[in-house]
């Protein structure tokens, strides 16, 4: 129990760092907007419209969502690097950044893209309440708005790197030290989902988080889960730019599901020697 509480304490700190950094940067961005609007009101000699300021702030935050994600992600990584540097440890080692079977990189990337397409099509097919879908669409638009270079940098590079280091590299690994793999995967994925805020995002981020966690454990490296994560986001960004009609969702979704199933078998398939090693680890209680 003492070991469990110790690792849970570390997990809480890492999650609070991730969430807190986003809140800090978001607050700063909001303050900048409010200050600018206040100056404009003073210059024009009019009173500040509280309702208009609130609506304008919401739009401003949406327009600058990619900047908030990018800056908070980079600062989170910087803080973690300094933290482990002070403790005379390496962030790369502590977060499980190491080589793995590179021959699996291509099927892992393809799995990420096909899984992303499958999730996107399911969201269009399932009978989800209109209000929920509108909220989801607004949240999604916030992350694909702005210059294409900034979108690619934020959604396909910075966000996946930060999230993999935090949730698979630090959170999952600490939980796995104190509890069975299935529990560590479930808890880390649940926390990963919660960080996405929107109800639909929470639901599918949990599922995606489980896949990412299993990939990280399978290859004992977050480089594998990072490839999958980047590919998932890559497909999601560009899928939203394609003219896909409602009639196309079902056949595309079925095809993506079939492809994902095949790729899961390819990615998670183990050879006889590898299977024997895993069996021995399980018998020894090391996995």
């Amino acid at each position: 129990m003492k070991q469990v509480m110790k690792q849970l304490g570390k997990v809480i700190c890492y999650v609070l760092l991730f969430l807190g950094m986003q809140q800090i940067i978001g607050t700063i961005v909001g303050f900048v907007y409010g200050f600018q609007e206040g100056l404009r009101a003073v210059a024009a000699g009019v009173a500040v419209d509280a309702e208009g300021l609130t609506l304008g702030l919401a739009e401003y935050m949406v327009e600058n969502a990619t900047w908030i994600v990018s800056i908070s992600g980079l600062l989170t990584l910087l803080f973690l690097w300094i933290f482990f540097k002070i403790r005379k440890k390496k962030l790369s080692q502590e977060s499980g950044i190491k080589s793995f079977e590179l021959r699996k990189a291509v099927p892992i990337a393809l799995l990420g893209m096909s899984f992303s397409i499958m999730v996107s099509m399911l969201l269009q097919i399932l009978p989800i309440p209109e209000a929920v879908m509108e909220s989801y669409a607004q949240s999604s638009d916030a992350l694909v708005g702005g210059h294409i270079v900034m979108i690619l940098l934020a959604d396909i590079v910075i966000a996946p790197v930060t999230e993999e280091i935090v949730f698979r590299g630090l959170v999952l690994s600490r939980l796995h030290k104190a509890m069975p793999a299935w529990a560590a995967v479930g808890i880390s994925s649940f926390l990963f989902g919660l960080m996405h805020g929107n109800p639909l995002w929470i639901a599918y981020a949990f599922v995606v988080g489980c896949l990412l966690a299993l990939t990280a454990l399978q290859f004992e490296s977050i480089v594998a889960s990072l490839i999958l994560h980047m590919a998932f986001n890559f497909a999601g960004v560009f899928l939203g730019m394609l003219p896909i009609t409602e009639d196309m969702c079902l056949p595309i979704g079925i095809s993506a599901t079939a492809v994902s199933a095949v790729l899961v078998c390819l990615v998670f398939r183990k050879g006889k020697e590898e299977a024997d090693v895993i069996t021995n680890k399980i018998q020894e209680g090391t996995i």
Side-chain angles (χ1 to χ4, degrees), residues 143-198:
L143 293 179
V144 294
H147 195 279
I148 184 64
V149 174
M150 194 62 211
I151 294 172
L152 295 176
L153 184 63
D155 297 351
I156 303 175
V157 179
I158 297 177
V161 170
T162 305
E163 291 172 357
E164 287 311 301
I165 287 178
V166 173
F167 290 98
R168 258 63 63 179
L170 298 174
V171 172
L172 175 64
S173 64
R174 272 54 181 178
L175 290 173
H176 195 202
K177 290 180 180 179
M179 57 187 68
W182 64 267
V185 169
I187 294 174
S188 64
S189 301
F190 177 69
L191 292 173
F192 177 64
L194 282 180
M195 293 302 103
H196 287 74
N198 182 276

Side-chain angles (χ1 to χ4, degrees), residues 99-147:
S99 60
F100 75 107
E101 300 175 73
L102 289 180
R103 63 188 177 86
K104 292 289 184 73
V106 173
I108 287 174
L110 292 176
L111 173 59
M113 288 188 282
S114 64
F115 202 77
S116 179
I117 295 171
M118 180 187 75
V119 169
S120 297
M121 294 303 103
L122 281 176
L123 291 177
Q124 300 300 320
I125 296 170
L126 294 175
I128 301 172
E130 185 177 348
V132 176
M133 281 302 297
E134 287 181 359
S135 175
Y136 169 75
Q138 291 175 356
S139 300
S140 299
D141 290 342
L143 293 179
V144 294
H147 195 279

Side-chain angles (χ1 to χ4, degrees), residues 54-131:
T54 302
L55 293 174
L57 177 60
E59 293 179 2
Y60 188 78
M61 296 294 284
V62 168
E63 293 172 358
N64 291 276
T66 51
W67 285 103
I68 295 173
V69 169
S70 299
I71 296 174
S72 62
L74 291 173
L75 288 177
T76 298
L77 295 177
L78 177 61
F79 183 93
L80 288 171
W81 180 81
I82 294 173
F83 172 74
F84 286 112
K85 190 73 173 178
I86 293 173
R87 300 185 64 194
K88 297 182 179 180
K89 295 181 179 181
K90 292 183 178 181
L91 176 59
S92 58
Q93 293 179 348
E94 292 296 314
S95 59
I97 301 176
K98 53 186 177 181
S99 60
F100 75 107
E101 300 175 73
L102 289 180
R103 63 188 177 86
K104 292 289 184 73
V106 173
I108 287 174
L110 292 176
L111 173 59
M113 288 188 282
S114 64
F115 202 77
S116 179
I117 295 171
M118 180 187 75
V119 169
S120 297
M121 294 303 103
L122 281 176
L123 291 177
Q124 300 300 320
I125 296 170
L126 294 175
I128 301 172
E130 185 177 348

Side-chain angles (χ1 to χ4, degrees), residues 204-226:
Y204 87 67
F206 170 76
V207 176
V208 176
C210 288
L211 180 61
L212 292 168
L214 291 172
T215 302
L217 292 178
Q218 169 82 356
F219 296 96
E220 299 181 351
S221 172
I222 67 166
V223 176
S225 59
L226 175 59

